[in-house]
Every structure is written in structure tokens, then in C-alpha cells.
Amino acid sequence: MPVITKRADIDKLPGGPTPAEAALLAACAAGEECVLGDGELPPEDAGPDRVIRAEVLRYLILGGSAGWRGGGSDFLEPMCRDGSTCRTKQLAERLI
């Protein structure tokens, strides 16, 4: 499994980002929720429109690269003005 340390590494994965990965990356960059398909768990034989590789999730969970919106060391800072909710928690909740 390749270790992704910057956004460009995702483009270098075999086949580039899947449609699901591209949708997730775009939603994360915009700070929006990403819902794939009908929002239900996909079947075992789901196509690339529902497949997100572990290395892409790892990259996002660990904060992305420094150039990423909210990436790098800034990623762990509170998202809300009152400091009650952090980006990491919100991302984790979206992935569950």
C-alpha cells in the first residue's frame, strides 16, 4: 500500500482517483458532507463510484497536505468559533 503524503500522490495511484474518491476529496476541500449513491452501505461488488481506498482515507484522516484546505498542522485546530467541534471529529463522523 503506497503512503500518500500529498494530493498529487492520489493522482499517481493506479487508475487515478476513483469517482468516489474524487467526490470525497471535493467535499472535504469544500468542507461539505459527501454522500455516495443512496447513502446506504454498498454491496460487495460495488463499482468505482462507491470505492474509496484505505490509503486515500488515511491521507484525509491524518490531515492531508499543507496545501489542502484545513490540511497540515491547521487541520487539527477547532472548526467552530467556540472550539467545540474539530475537523477531525467531523471527518470521522462522516466516515462512519
Side-chain angles (χ1 to χ4, degrees):
M1 173 184 342
V3 175
I4 298 171
T5 59
K6 54 188 175 293
R7 172 60 180 86
D9 292 342
I10 296 171
D11 295 328
K12 295 176 187 174
L13 291 172
T18 66
E21 291 166 346
L24 179 60
L25 291 165
C28 287
E32 298 174 353
E33 183 173 287
C34 181
V35 177
L36 302 173
D38 58 8
E40 297 294 320
L41 287 175
E44 289 285 327
D45 60 347
D49 60 322
R50 300 286 294 273
V51 173
I52 299 174
R53 291 171 279 200
E55 49 266 44
V56 174
L57 289 175
R58 178 186 180 279
Y59 167 76
L60 291 170
I61 290 168
L62 292 178
S65 60
W68 190 257
R69 179 185 176 269
S73 60
D74 169 57
F75 190 77
L76 298 178
E77 294 300 314
M79 180 181 240
C80 299
R81 294 186 198 280
D82 65 2
S84 62
T85 306
C86 73
R87 292 182 182 124
T88 304
K89 179 181 176 190
Q90 287 189 346
L91 178 59
E93 288 171 350
R94 290 178 188 166
L95 296 175
I96 296 175

Coordinates of all heavy atoms in Angstrom, one line a residue:
M1 N 0.8 -1.2 0.0 CA 0.0 0.0 0.0 C 0.9 1.2 0.0 O 1.7 1.4 0.9 CB -0.9 0.0 1.2 CG -1.7 1.3 1.4 SD -2.8 1.5 2.9 CE -3.0 -0.1 3.6
P2 N 0.7 2.1 -1.0 CA 1.5 3.3 -1.0 C 1.1 4.3 0.1 O -0.1 4.4 0.4 CB 1.3 3.9 -2.4 CG -0.1 3.4 -2.8 CD -0.2 2.0 -2.1
V3 N 2.1 5.1 0.6 CA 1.7 6.1 1.6 C 1.6 7.4 0.9 O 2.5 7.9 0.2 CB 2.8 6.2 2.7 CG1 2.5 7.3 3.6 CG2 3.0 4.9 3.4
I4 N 0.4 8.0 1.0 CA 0.1 9.2 0.3 C 0.4 10.4 1.3 O -0.1 10.4 2.4 CB -1.4 9.3 -0.1 CG1 -1.7 8.2 -1.1 CG2 -1.8 10.6 -0.6 CD1 -3.1 8.0 -1.4
T5 N 1.3 11.3 0.9 CA 1.6 12.4 1.7 C 1.2 13.8 1.1 O 1.3 14.8 1.7 CB 3.1 12.5 1.9 OG1 3.8 12.6 0.7 CG2 3.6 11.2 2.7
K6 N 0.8 13.7 -0.2 CA 0.3 15.0 -0.8 C -0.8 14.6 -1.8 O -0.9 13.5 -2.3 CB 1.4 15.8 -1.4 CG 2.3 15.0 -2.4 CD 3.5 15.8 -2.8 CE 4.4 15.1 -3.7 NZ 5.1 14.0 -3.1
R7 N -1.6 15.6 -2.1 CA -2.8 15.4 -3.0 C -2.4 14.7 -4.4 O -3.0 13.9 -4.9 CB -3.5 16.7 -3.2 CG -4.6 16.7 -4.3 CD -5.7 15.7 -3.9 NE -6.8 15.6 -4.9 CZ -6.7 14.9 -6.0 NH1 -5.7 14.2 -6.3 NH2 -7.7 14.9 -6.9
A8 N -1.2 15.2 -4.9 CA -0.8 14.7 -6.2 C -0.5 13.2 -6.2 O -0.6 12.5 -7.2 CB 0.5 15.4 -6.6
D9 N -0.2 12.6 -5.0 CA 0.1 11.2 -4.9 C -1.2 10.4 -5.2 O -1.1 9.3 -5.7 CB 0.5 10.8 -3.5 CG 1.9 11.4 -3.1 OD1 2.6 11.7 -4.0 OD2 2.2 11.4 -1.9
I10 N -2.4 10.9 -5.0 CA -3.6 10.2 -5.3 C -3.8 10.1 -6.8 O -4.2 9.1 -7.3 CB -4.8 11.0 -4.6 CG1 -4.7 10.9 -3.1 CG2 -6.1 10.3 -5.1 CD1 -5.7 11.8 -2.4
D11 N -3.4 11.1 -7.5 CA -3.4 11.1 -9.0 C -2.5 10.0 -9.5 O -2.7 9.5 -10.6 CB -3.1 12.4 -9.6 CG -4.2 13.5 -9.2 OD1 -5.3 13.1 -9.0 OD2 -3.8 14.6 -9.1
K12 N -1.4 9.6 -8.8 CA -0.5 8.7 -9.3 C -0.9 7.2 -8.9 O -0.2 6.3 -9.4 CB 0.9 9.0 -8.6 CG 1.5 10.3 -9.1 CD 2.8 10.6 -8.4 CE 3.3 12.0 -8.7 NZ 4.5 12.3 -7.9
L13 N -1.9 7.0 -8.1 CA -2.4 5.7 -7.8 C -2.9 5.0 -9.1 O -3.3 5.7 -10.1 CB -3.6 5.7 -6.8 CG -3.2 6.2 -5.4 CD1 -4.5 6.3 -4.6 CD2 -2.3 5.1 -4.8
P14 N -2.8 3.7 -9.2 CA -3.3 3.0 -10.4 C -4.7 3.5 -10.8 O -5.6 3.4 -10.0 CB -3.3 1.6 -10.1 CG -2.2 1.5 -9.0 CD -2.4 2.8 -8.2
G15 N -4.9 4.0 -12.0 CA -6.2 4.5 -12.4 C -6.6 5.9 -11.9 O -7.7 6.4 -12.2
G16 N -5.7 6.5 -11.1 CA -6.0 7.8 -10.5 C -7.1 7.7 -9.5 O -7.5 6.6 -9.1
P17 N -7.7 8.8 -9.0 CA -8.8 8.7 -8.0 C -10.0 8.0 -8.6 O -10.4 8.3 -9.8 CB -9.0 10.1 -7.6 CG -8.5 10.9 -8.7 CD -7.4 10.2 -9.4
T18 N -10.7 7.2 -7.9 CA -12.0 6.6 -8.3 C -13.0 7.8 -8.3 O -12.8 8.8 -7.6 CB -12.4 5.5 -7.4 OG1 -12.7 6.0 -6.1 CG2 -11.4 4.4 -7.3
P19 N -14.1 7.6 -8.9 CA -15.2 8.6 -8.8 C -15.6 8.9 -7.4 O -15.8 10.1 -7.0 CB -16.3 8.0 -9.7 CG -15.7 7.1 -10.7 CD -14.5 6.5 -9.9
A20 N -15.6 7.9 -6.6 CA -16.0 8.1 -5.2 C -14.9 8.9 -4.4 O -15.2 9.8 -3.6 CB -16.2 6.7 -4.5
E21 N -13.6 8.6 -4.7 CA -12.6 9.3 -4.1 C -12.6 10.8 -4.5 O -12.4 11.7 -3.7 CB -11.2 8.7 -4.4 CG -11.0 7.3 -3.8 CD -9.9 6.5 -4.3 OE1 -9.3 6.8 -5.4 OE2 -9.5 5.5 -3.7
A22 N -12.8 11.0 -5.8 CA -12.9 12.4 -6.3 C -14.0 13.2 -5.7 O -13.8 14.3 -5.3 CB -13.1 12.4 -7.9
A23 N -15.1 12.5 -5.5 CA -16.3 13.2 -4.8 C -15.9 13.5 -3.3 O -16.2 14.6 -2.8 CB -17.5 12.3 -4.9
L24 N -15.3 12.5 -2.7 CA -14.9 12.8 -1.3 C -13.9 13.9 -1.1 O -14.0 14.7 -0.3 CB -14.4 11.5 -0.6 CG -13.9 11.6 0.8 CD1 -15.0 12.0 1.7 CD2 -13.3 10.2 1.3
L25 N -12.9 13.9 -2.0 CA -11.8 14.9 -2.0 C -12.4 16.3 -2.2 O -12.1 17.3 -1.5 CB -10.7 14.6 -3.0 CG -9.9 13.4 -2.7 CD1 -9.1 13.0 -3.9 CD2 -8.9 13.7 -1.6
A26 N -13.4 16.4 -3.2 CA -14.0 17.7 -3.5 C -14.9 18.1 -2.3 O -14.8 19.3 -1.9 CB -14.9 17.5 -4.7
A27 N -15.6 17.2 -1.7 CA -16.4 17.6 -0.5 C -15.6 18.0 0.7 O -15.9 19.0 1.3 CB -17.3 16.4 -0.1
C28 N -14.5 17.3 0.9 CA -13.6 17.7 2.0 C -13.0 19.1 1.8 O -12.9 19.9 2.7 CB -12.5 16.7 2.2 SG -13.0 15.1 2.9
A29 N -12.6 19.3 0.5 CA -12.0 20.6 0.2 C -13.0 21.8 0.4 O -12.6 22.9 0.8 CB -11.5 20.6 -1.3
A30 N -14.3 21.5 0.2 CA -15.3 22.5 0.3 C -15.9 22.5 1.7 O -16.7 23.3 2.1 CB -16.5 22.2 -0.7
G31 N -15.5 21.5 2.6 CA -16.0 21.5 3.9 C -17.4 21.0 4.0 O -18.2 21.3 4.9
E32 N -17.8 20.1 3.0 CA -19.2 19.6 2.9 C -19.2 18.1 3.2 O -18.2 17.4 3.0 CB -19.7 19.9 1.5 CG -19.8 21.4 1.2 CD -20.2 21.7 -0.2 OE1 -20.3 20.7 -1.0 OE2 -20.4 22.9 -0.5
E33 N -20.4 17.7 3.5 CA -20.6 16.2 3.6 C -20.6 15.6 2.3 O -21.1 16.1 1.3 CB -22.0 16.0 4.3 CG -22.3 14.6 4.6 CD -23.5 14.4 5.4 OE1 -23.5 14.7 6.6 OE2 -24.5 14.0 4.9
C34 N -20.1 14.3 2.2 CA -20.1 13.6 1.0 C -21.0 12.3 1.2 O -20.7 11.5 2.0 CB -18.7 13.1 0.7 SG -18.5 12.2 -0.8
V35 N -22.0 12.2 0.3 CA -22.9 11.1 0.3 C -22.8 10.4 -1.0 O -23.0 11.0 -2.1 CB -24.4 11.5 0.6 CG1 -25.3 10.2 0.5 CG2 -24.5 12.2 1.9
L36 N -22.4 9.1 -1.0 CA -22.2 8.4 -2.2 C -23.4 7.5 -2.5 O -23.9 6.8 -1.5 CB -20.9 7.5 -2.2 CG -19.6 8.3 -1.9 CD1 -18.5 7.4 -1.7 CD2 -19.3 9.3 -3.0
G37 N -23.9 7.4 -3.7 CA -25.0 6.6 -4.0 C -26.2 7.0 -3.2 O -26.5 8.2 -3.1
D38 N -26.9 6.1 -2.7 CA -28.2 6.3 -1.9 C -27.9 6.5 -0.4 O -28.8 6.7 0.4 CB -29.2 5.2 -2.1 CG -28.7 3.9 -1.7 OD1 -27.6 3.8 -1.1 OD2 -29.4 2.9 -2.0
G39 N -26.6 6.5 0.0 CA -26.2 6.7 1.4 C -26.2 5.4 2.2 O -25.8 5.4 3.3
E40 N -26.6 4.3 1.6 CA -26.6 3.0 2.2 C -25.3 2.3 2.0 O -24.5 2.7 1.1 CB -27.8 2.1 1.7 CG -29.1 2.7 1.9 CD -29.5 2.8 3.4 OE1 -29.2 1.8 4.1 OE2 -30.1 3.8 3.9
L41 N -25.0 1.3 2.8 CA -23.8 0.5 2.6 C -23.8 -0.1 1.2 O -24.8 -0.7 0.8 CB -23.6 -0.6 3.6 CG -23.2 -0.1 5.0 CD1 -23.2 -1.3 6.0 CD2 -21.9 0.6 5.0
P42 N -22.7 0.0 0.4 CA -22.7 -0.6 -0.9 C -22.6 -2.1 -0.9 O -22.1 -2.7 0.1 CB -21.5 0.0 -1.6 CG -20.6 0.3 -0.4 CD -21.5 0.6 0.8
P43 N -23.0 -2.8 -1.9 CA -22.8 -4.3 -2.0 C -21.4 -4.6 -2.1 O -20.5 -3.7 -2.5 CB -23.6 -4.7 -3.2 CG -23.7 -3.4 -4.1 CD -23.7 -2.3 -3.1
E44 N -21.0 -5.9 -1.9 CA -19.6 -6.3 -2.0 C -19.0 -6.0 -3.4 O -17.9 -5.7 -3.5 CB -19.5 -7.8 -1.8 CG -19.8 -8.2 -0.3 CD -18.6 -7.9 0.6 OE1 -17.4 -8.0 0.1 OE2 -18.8 -7.6 1.7
D45 N -19.8 -6.1 -4.4 CA -19.3 -5.9 -5.8 C -19.6 -4.4 -6.3 O -19.7 -4.2 -7.5 CB -20.0 -6.9 -6.8 CG -21.5 -6.7 -6.8 OD1 -22.1 -6.0 -5.9 OD2 -22.1 -7.3 -7.7
A46 N -19.6 -3.5 -5.4 CA -19.8 -2.1 -5.8 C -18.7 -1.6 -6.8 O -17.5 -2.1 -6.7 CB -19.7 -1.2 -4.5
G47 N -19.1 -0.8 -7.7 CA -18.2 -0.3 -8.7 C -17.3 0.9 -8.1 O -17.5 1.3 -7.0
P48 N -16.5 1.5 -9.0 CA -15.6 2.5 -8.6 C -16.3 3.8 -8.1 O -15.7 4.6 -7.4 CB -14.8 2.8 -9.8 CG -15.5 2.2 -10.9 CD -16.3 1.1 -10.4
D49 N -17.6 3.9 -8.4 CA -18.4 5.1 -7.9 C -18.7 5.0 -6.4 O -19.2 5.9 -5.8 CB -19.7 5.3 -8.7 CG -20.6 4.1 -8.7 OD1 -20.1 3.0 -8.6 OD2 -21.8 4.3 -8.6
R50 N -18.4 3.8 -5.8 CA -18.6 3.6 -4.4 C -17.4 3.1 -3.7 O -17.4 2.7 -2.5 CB -19.7 2.6 -4.2 CG -21.1 3.0 -4.7 CD -21.8 4.1 -4.0 NE -22.2 3.7 -2.6 CZ -23.4 3.2 -2.3 NH1 -24.2 2.8 -3.2 NH2 -23.7 2.9 -1.1
V51 N -16.2 3.1 -4.3 CA -15.0 2.6 -3.7 C -14.0 3.7 -3.3 O -13.7 4.5 -4.2 CB -14.3 1.6 -4.7 CG1 -12.9 1.2 -4.2 CG2 -15.2 0.4 -5.0
I52 N -13.6 3.7 -2.1 CA -12.6 4.6 -1.6 C -11.5 3.8 -0.9 O -11.7 3.0 0.0 CB -13.2 5.6 -0.6 CG1 -14.3 6.4 -1.3 CG2 -12.1 6.5 0.0 CD1 -15.0 7.4 -0.3
R53 N -10.3 3.9 -1.5 CA -9.2 3.1 -1.0 C -8.7 3.5 0.4 O -8.8 4.7 0.7 CB -8.0 3.1 -2.0 CG -8.4 2.4 -3.3 CD -7.3 2.6 -4.3 NE -7.6 3.9 -5.0 CZ -7.2 4.2 -6.2 NH1 -6.4 3.4 -6.9 NH2 -7.5 5.4 -6.7
A54 N -8.2 2.6 1.2 CA -7.7 2.9 2.5 C -6.7 3.9 2.6 O -6.7 4.8 3.5 CB -7.2 1.6 3.2
E55 N -5.7 4.0 1.6 CA -4.7 4.9 1.6 C -5.2 6.4 1.4 O -4.6 7.3 1.9 CB -3.6 4.6 0.6 CG -4.0 4.3 -0.8 CD -4.2 2.8 -1.0 OE1 -4.8 2.1 -0.2 OE2 -3.8 2.3 -2.1
V56 N -6.3 6.5 0.7 CA -6.9 7.8 0.5 C -7.6 8.3 1.8 O -7.4 9.4 2.2 CB -7.9 7.8 -0.7 CG1 -8.7 9.1 -0.8 CG2 -7.2 7.5 -2.0
L57 N -8.3 7.4 2.5 CA -8.9 7.7 3.8 C -7.8 8.0 4.8 O -8.0 9.0 5.5 CB -9.7 6.5 4.3 CG -11.0 6.2 3.5 CD1 -11.6 4.9 4.1 CD2 -11.9 7.4 3.6
R58 N -6.7 7.3 4.8 CA -5.6 7.6 5.7 C -5.1 9.0 5.5 O -4.9 9.8 6.4 CB -4.5 6.6 5.5 CG -3.3 6.8 6.4 CD -2.1 5.9 6.1 NE -1.0 6.1 6.9 CZ -0.1 7.1 6.7 NH1 -0.2 7.9 5.7 NH2 0.9 7.2 7.6
Y59 N -4.9 9.4 4.2 CA -4.4 10.7 3.9 C -5.4 11.8 4.5 O -4.9 12.8 5.1 CB -4.3 10.8 2.4 CG -4.1 12.2 1.8 CD1 -2.9 12.9 1.9 CD2 -5.2 12.9 1.2 CE1 -2.7 14.1 1.4 CE2 -5.0 14.2 0.7 CZ -3.8 14.8 0.8 OH -3.6 16.1 0.3
L60 N -6.6 11.6 4.3 CA -7.6 12.6 4.7 C -7.7 12.6 6.3 O -7.8 13.7 6.9 CB -9.0 12.3 4.1 CG -9.1 12.6 2.6 CD1 -10.4 12.1 2.1 CD2 -8.9 14.1 2.3
I61 N -7.7 11.4 6.9 CA -7.9 11.4 8.3 C -6.7 12.0 9.0 O -6.8 12.7 10.1 CB -8.1 9.9 8.8 CG1 -9.5 9.4 8.3 CG2 -7.9 9.7 10.3 CD1 -9.7 7.9 8.5
L62 N -5.5 11.8 8.4 CA -4.3 12.4 9.0 C -4.1 13.9 8.7 O -3.2 14.5 9.2 CB -3.0 11.6 8.6 CG -3.0 10.2 9.2 CD1 -1.7 9.5 8.6 CD2 -3.0 10.2 10.7
G63 N -5.0 14.4 8.0 CA -5.0 15.9 7.8 C -4.6 16.4 6.4 O -4.6 17.6 6.1
G64 N -4.3 15.5 5.5 CA -4.0 15.9 4.1 C -2.7 16.6 4.1 O -1.9 16.6 5.1
S65 N -2.4 17.3 3.0 CA -1.1 18.0 2.9 C -1.3 19.5 3.3 O -2.4 19.9 3.5 CB -0.7 18.0 1.4 OG -1.6 18.6 0.6
A66 N -0.2 20.1 3.5 CA -0.2 21.5 4.0 C -1.0 22.5 3.0 O -1.5 23.4 3.5 CB 1.2 22.0 4.1
G67 N -1.0 22.1 1.7 CA -1.7 23.0 0.8 C -3.2 22.8 0.8 O -4.0 23.5 0.2
W68 N -3.7 21.7 1.4 CA -5.1 21.4 1.5 C -5.9 22.3 2.4 O -5.4 22.7 3.4 CB -5.2 19.9 2.0 CG -6.5 19.3 1.9 CD1 -7.3 19.1 2.9 CD2 -7.1 18.7 0.8 NE1 -8.5 18.5 2.5 CE2 -8.3 18.2 1.2 CE3 -6.7 18.6 -0.5 CZ2 -9.2 17.6 0.3 CZ3 -7.6 17.9 -1.4 CH2 -8.8 17.4 -1.0
R69 N -7.1 22.7 2.0 CA -7.9 23.5 2.9 C -8.1 22.8 4.2 O -8.6 21.7 4.3 CB -9.3 23.7 2.3 CG -10.2 24.6 3.2 CD -11.6 24.7 2.5 NE -12.4 25.4 3.4 CZ -13.2 24.8 4.4 NH1 -13.2 23.6 4.6 NH2 -14.0 25.6 5.1
G70 N -7.5 23.4 5.3 CA -7.6 22.7 6.6 C -6.6 21.7 6.8 O -6.6 21.0 7.8
G71 N -5.7 21.5 5.8 CA -4.7 20.4 5.9 C -3.5 20.8 6.7 O -3.4 21.9 7.2
G72 N -2.5 19.9 6.9 CA -1.3 20.1 7.6 C -1.6 20.4 9.1 O -2.6 19.9 9.6
S73 N -0.8 21.2 9.8 CA -1.0 21.4 11.2 C -2.3 22.1 11.5 O -2.8 22.0 12.6 CB 0.2 22.2 11.7 OG 0.3 23.4 11.1
D74 N -2.8 22.9 10.6 CA -4.0 23.6 10.8 C -5.2 22.7 10.9 O -6.2 23.0 11.5 CB -4.2 24.6 9.6 CG -5.6 25.2 9.5 OD1 -6.0 25.8 10.5 OD2 -6.3 25.0 8.5
F75 N -5.1 21.5 10.4 CA -6.2 20.6 10.3 C -6.8 20.2 11.7 O -8.0 20.0 11.8 CB -5.8 19.3 9.6 CG -7.0 18.4 9.2 CD1 -7.8 18.7 8.2 CD2 -7.2 17.2 10.0 CE1 -8.9 17.9 7.9 CE2 -8.3 16.4 9.7 CZ -9.1 16.7 8.6
L76 N -5.9 20.1 12.7 CA -6.4 19.7 14.0 C -6.9 20.9 14.8 O -7.4 20.7 15.9 CB -5.3 19.0 14.8 CG -4.8 17.7 14.1 CD1 -3.7 17.1 14.9 CD2 -5.9 16.7 13.9
E77 N -6.9 22.1 14.3 CA -7.5 23.3 15.0 C -9.0 23.2 15.0 O -9.6 22.6 14.1 CB -7.0 24.6 14.4 CG -5.5 24.8 14.5 CD -5.1 24.9 15.9 OE1 -5.7 25.6 16.7 OE2 -4.1 24.2 16.3
P78 N -9.6 23.8 16.0 CA -11.1 23.8 16.0 C -11.7 24.4 14.8 O -11.2 25.4 14.3 CB -11.4 24.6 17.3 CG -10.2 24.6 18.1 CD -9.1 24.5 17.1
M79 N -12.8 23.8 14.3 CA -13.5 24.4 13.1 C -14.5 25.4 13.6 O -14.7 26.4 12.9 CB -14.2 23.2 12.4 CG -15.0 23.7 11.2 SD -15.8 22.3 10.4 CE -15.0 22.3 8.8
C80 N -15.2 25.2 14.7 CA -16.2 26.2 15.1 C -15.5 27.3 15.9 O -14.5 27.1 16.6 CB -17.2 25.5 16.0 SG -18.1 24.2 15.1
R81 N -16.2 28.5 15.9 CA -15.6 29.6 16.6 C -15.5 29.4 18.0 O -14.6 29.9 18.7 CB -16.5 30.8 16.3 CG -16.5 31.3 14.9 CD -17.2 32.6 14.7 NE -17.6 32.9 13.3 CZ -16.8 33.3 12.4 NH1 -15.5 33.6 12.7 NH2 -17.2 33.6 11.2
D82 N -16.4 28.6 18.6 CA -16.4 28.3 20.0 C -15.4 27.2 20.4 O -15.2 26.9 21.6 CB -17.8 28.1 20.6 CG -18.4 26.8 20.1 OD1 -17.7 26.1 19.3 OD2 -19.5 26.5 20.4
G83 N -14.8 26.6 19.4 CA -13.9 25.5 19.6 C -14.5 24.2 20.0 O -13.8 23.2 20.4
S84 N -15.8 24.0 19.9 CA -16.5 22.8 20.4 C -16.4 21.6 19.5 O -16.5 20.5 19.9 CB -18.0 23.1 20.6 OG -18.6 23.5 19.4
T85 N -16.1 21.8 18.2 CA -16.1 20.7 17.2 C -14.8 20.8 16.4 O -14.6 21.9 15.8 CB -17.3 20.7 16.3 OG1 -18.5 20.8 17.1 CG2 -17.4 19.5 15.4
C86 N -14.1 19.8 16.3 CA -12.8 19.9 15.5 C -13.1 19.2 14.1 O -14.0 18.3 14.0 CB -11.7 19.3 16.2 SG -11.7 17.5 16.3
R87 N -12.3 19.5 13.1 CA -12.5 18.9 11.8 C -12.3 17.4 11.8 O -12.9 16.7 11.1 CB -11.5 19.6 10.8 CG -11.8 21.0 10.6 CD -10.8 21.5 9.5 NE -11.1 22.9 9.3 CZ -10.2 23.9 9.5 NH1 -9.0 23.6 9.8 NH2 -10.5 25.1 9.2
T88 N -11.3 17.0 12.6 CA -11.0 15.5 12.7 C -12.3 14.8 13.1 O -12.6 13.7 12.6 CB -9.8 15.2 13.6 OG1 -8.7 16.0 13.2 CG2 -9.5 13.8 13.6
K89 N -12.9 15.3 14.2 CA -14.1 14.6 14.7 C -15.2 14.6 13.6 O -15.9 13.6 13.4 CB -14.6 15.3 15.9 CG -15.9 14.7 16.5 CD -16.4 15.5 17.7 CE -17.7 14.9 18.2 NZ -18.3 15.7 19.2
Q90 N -15.4 15.7 12.9 CA -16.4 15.8 11.9 C -16.1 14.8 10.8 O -17.0 14.2 10.3 CB -16.6 17.2 11.4 CG -17.3 18.1 12.4 CD -17.6 19.4 11.8 OE1 -17.1 19.8 10.7 NE2 -18.5 20.2 12.5
L91 N -14.9 14.8 10.3 CA -14.5 13.9 9.3 C -14.7 12.4 9.7 O -15.3 11.6 8.9 CB -13.0 14.1 8.8 CG -12.5 13.1 7.8 CD1 -13.3 13.3 6.5 CD2 -11.0 13.4 7.5
A92 N -14.3 12.1 10.9 CA -14.5 10.7 11.4 C -16.0 10.4 11.4 O -16.4 9.3 11.1 CB -13.9 10.6 12.8
E93 N -16.8 11.3 11.9 CA -18.3 11.1 11.9 C -18.8 10.8 10.5 O -19.7 10.0 10.3 CB -19.0 12.2 12.6 CG -18.7 12.3 14.1 CD -19.3 13.5 14.7 OE1 -19.7 14.5 14.0 OE2 -19.2 13.6 16.0
R94 N -18.3 11.5 9.5 CA -18.8 11.4 8.2 C -18.4 10.0 7.6 O -19.1 9.5 6.7 CB -18.3 12.5 7.3 CG -18.9 13.8 7.6 CD -18.3 14.9 6.7 NE -18.7 16.2 7.2 CZ -18.2 17.3 6.9 NH1 -17.2 17.4 6.0 NH2 -18.7 18.5 7.3
L95 N -17.3 9.5 8.1 CA -16.8 8.2 7.5 C -17.5 7.0 8.1 O -17.4 5.9 7.7 CB -15.3 8.1 7.7 CG -14.5 9.2 6.9 CD1 -13.0 9.1 7.3 CD2 -14.7 9.0 5.5
I96 N -18.2 7.2 9.3 CA -18.8 6.1 10.0 C -20.2 5.8 9.4 O -20.9 6.6 9.0 CB -18.9 6.4 11.5 CG1 -17.6 6.5 12.1 CG2 -19.8 5.4 12.2 CD1 -17.5 6.9 13.5

